[in-house]
Amino acid sequence: STNYTMTDTDDMVVGTATSPITVTLPNASTVKSYFFQNFGTSTMTLQTVSSQMINSDTNLILQFNESSCRLVSNGTKFMIL
C-alpha cells in the first residue's frame, strides 16, 4: 500500500489496501467537497495539514471494509457530512 497526498484537483479517493494507508488532505482553504471510500481490509486514515480540523480532530479513520464519508471544507476546516 502507498500513502497518498491529495491535490486540489482530486474529488475522490478509493482505498483497496491490505495494510494501513494515510491520505493527506489538501489545505481546507480550497472550499470543496471530497468523497472517500475504503474497500480495503485495513484502515484508511484521513489526515489534515497545518493542524486543520475535521470536525474537532486532526484526522479521521475509516476502519471497516466498505466504510465511506464525504468531507466538505469551509475555507478553514473540514466537516463530515
Side-chain angles (χ1 to χ4, degrees):
S1 66
T2 302
N3 293 332
Y4 182 67
T5 299
M6 295 179 70
T7 67
D8 291 339
T9 59
D10 289 324
D11 295 317
M12 173 189 320
V13 174
V14 176
T16 58
T18 56
S19 59
I21 62 168
T22 298
V23 177
T24 302
L25 301 172
N27 194 301
S29 63
T30 302
V31 177
K32 189 171 178 179
S33 172
Y34 303 94
F35 181 75
F36 302 90
Q37 177 76 52
N38 184 10
F39 286 115
T41 56
S42 192
T43 59
M44 175 192 287
T45 300
L46 308 179
Q47 173 179 289
T48 64
V49 295
S50 304
S51 299
Q52 294 175 339
M53 305 302 279
I54 302 171
N55 285 4
S56 60
D57 208 339
T58 57
N59 66 43
L60 174 67
I61 299 173
L62 300 180
Q63 295 187 20
F64 305 103
N65 187 16
E66 298 191 20
S67 58
S68 63
C69 76
R70 179 170 299 280
L71 298 180
V72 175
S73 61
N74 68 359
T76 58
K77 70 175 189 174
F78 294 93
M79 297 166 289
I80 302 169
L81 296 183

